Amino acid sequence: MKQTTDFLKMKEVNEKIVMLTAYDYPSAKQAEQGGVDVILVGDSLGMVVLGYDSTVSVTLDDMIHHAKAVKRGAKDTFIVVDMPFLTYHLSVKDTLINAGRLIQETGAHAVKLEGADEVIEKIAAITKAGIPVCAHLGLTPQSVGVLGGYKVQGKDAQAAKKLIEDAKKCEEAGAFAIVLECVPKQLAKEVSKSVSIPIIGIGAGIEVDGQVLVYHDILGYGVERVPKFVKQYHSVNPFMIESIQAYASDVKNKQFPQEKHTFTMKEEELKVLYGGLE
Ligand SMILES: Nc1nc(=O)c2c([nH]1)NC[C@@H]1CN(c3ccc(C(=O)N[C@@H](CCC(=O)O)C(=O)O)cc3)CN21
Ligand SMILES: CC(C)C(=O)C(=O)O
Ligand SMILES: [Mg+2]
């Protein structure tokens, strides 16, 4: 299993880091079999698995529930768990209790937090407590209300400068990596050059140290529309719906179950059964 020190080395030798989200036992097994370096139990689960409009409805208990299932499916892959909305803002003490629960109760290896500014001291405290922290800058979906939608971030020079400074602060605070979401490629390249920890991009172009995408997006599974930065490798949805339709039609038309799906009783047992009923 690769871990934080390996990710640093991968950046040094320009070996790209592959991160993919997973939310349950089968998706985690598939991610591990598919050879990803890092599994992210993303709070995007609120949207792609639980059907909420944003990630802000996701709770710590939701994350723990799903991270436990992911761990059971991927025992030999580095697992990062998102800290959900408002579980790392109230105080350093509350933040440590919540990060501790995510790690202790699930067997995951690291936590991820969105933002810089007042979050920097939380990154430092969690790291000092011995829990690796992945930062998350650029488009931070838990702040969708303040950002006014899922929009590209750091487009003007001033915002870009702030983001580069934030990345440096995350590194100084002890973050082992930074997820950088939805920023212009030129800024992403500059951020990656400005720090020695790996930058894992999503909608950040190719000149970063790794990529992360959402499981449901790359598979075309249950998602209607995907963001511009997604490469959809398949659209499994039609296959799944067709399978369900075929099952429903088989039942209605008495085509299922067939003999091979059916259990039978031995002749002598039937005799006793019928005898007993007489
Ligand atoms: N299925 C899914 N995939 C994701 O990558 C994802 C989630 N859900 N939920 C949590 C966040 C939200 N994310 C999103 C969602 C939408 C856009 C989006 O539509 N962006 C516009 C850019 C608009 C602009 O130009 O400013 C796009 O067209 O891609 C981006 C990130 C990323 N995360
Ligand atoms: C989109 C990724 C980076 C994420 O934070 C999530 O899946 O929740
Ligand atoms: Mg997230």
Side-chain angles (χ1 to χ4, degrees):
M1 185 183 81
K2 292 207 185 76
Q3 45 191 316
T4 56
T5 46
D6 298 306
F7 304 138
L8 279 166
K9 280 182 211 137
M10 288 167 80
K11 171 158 184 159
E12 280 170 26
V13 301
N14 194 24
E15 180 189 344
K16 301 297 181 190
I17 299 163
V18 182
M19 185 189 259
L20 179 67
T21 68
Y23 309 102
D24 56 13
Y25 180 71
S27 58
K29 270 206 294 194
Q30 290 170 349
E32 186 163 279
Q33 283 173 24
V36 309
D37 297 309
V38 191
I39 289 175
L40 172 65
V41 187
D43 60 350
S44 52
L45 77 85
M47 297 171 79
V48 296
V49 177
L50 302 179
Y52 294 124
D53 285 338
S54 80
T55 58
V56 302
S57 307
V58 177
T59 67
L60 196 71
D61 287 333
D62 289 335
M63 295 309 298
I64 290 170
H65 183 72
H66 286 268
K68 281 168 137 175
V70 167
K71 176 73 180 191
R72 289 192 287 267
K75 297 191 174 69
D76 200 31
T77 303
F78 193 85
I79 299 170
V80 180
V81 187
D82 263 346
M83 293 195 73
F85 180 70
L86 231 52
T87 61
Y88 53 97
H89 294 87
L90 302 186
S91 70
V92 167
K93 186 181 169 186
D94 286 315
T95 302
L96 284 176
I97 290 169
N98 293 335
R101 280 194 65 198
L102 282 173
I103 296 297
Q104 253 183 337
E105 295 182 26
T106 72
H109 305 95
V111 296
K112 179 162 79 59
L113 295 73
E114 295 181 7
D117 302 322
E118 64 292 326
V119 173
I120 296 292
E121 62 167 333
K122 316 298 197 311
I123 295 176
I126 300 170
T127 306
K128 282 201 188 97
I131 300 170
V133 177
C134 181
H136 182 156
L137 300 174
L139 172 52
T140 48
Q142 290 171 13
S143 307
V144 62
V146 174
L147 300 175
Y150 299 114
K151 296 175 185 163
V152 178
Q153 301 295 307
K155 286 207 277 192
D156 60 74
Q158 200 188 336
K161 270 186 189 158
K162 160 92 164 83
L163 210 153
I164 293 166
E165 289 314 308
D166 286 349
K168 289 178 181 166
K169 285 180 194 161
C170 290
E171 178 176 35
E172 277 164 34
F176 74 90
I178 302 172
V179 163
L180 184 56
E181 178 165 349
C182 255
V183 300
K185 61 179 182 179
Q186 299 92 337
L187 171 58
K189 178 183 179 180
E190 203 50 42
V191 171
S192 175
K193 286 200 312 193
S194 304
V195 295
S196 55
I197 55 175
I199 303 300
I200 319 274
I202 171 167
I206 198 160
E207 289 187 273
V208 286
D209 311 301
Q211 299 291 331
V212 56
L213 283 176
V214 165
Y215 174 87
H216 292 64
D217 290 344
I218 67 167
L219 296 174
Y221 172 26
V223 288
E224 275 97 50
R225 156 182 183 282
V226 294
K228 171 185 159 79
F229 54 74
V230 169
K231 181 169 177 185
Q232 218 176 295
Y233 289 85
H234 232 299
S235 182
V236 301
N237 229 31
F239 293 98
M240 299 174 86
I241 296 168
E242 276 164 30
S243 307
I244 294 165
Q245 282 171 339
Y247 163 64
S249 136
D250 274 357
V251 172
K252 296 281 186 203
N253 299 320
K254 307 178 184 81
Q255 298 297 306
F256 175 84
Q258 296 167 328
E259 203 50 39
K260 64 178 173 186
H261 306 118
T262 307
F263 308 105
T264 55
M265 222 171 169
K266 278 187 187 134
E267 205 56 47
E268 62 241 52
E269 297 297 335
L270 281 172
K271 266 184 204 153
V272 177
L273 175 64
Y274 294 145
L277 289 175
E278 273 165 8

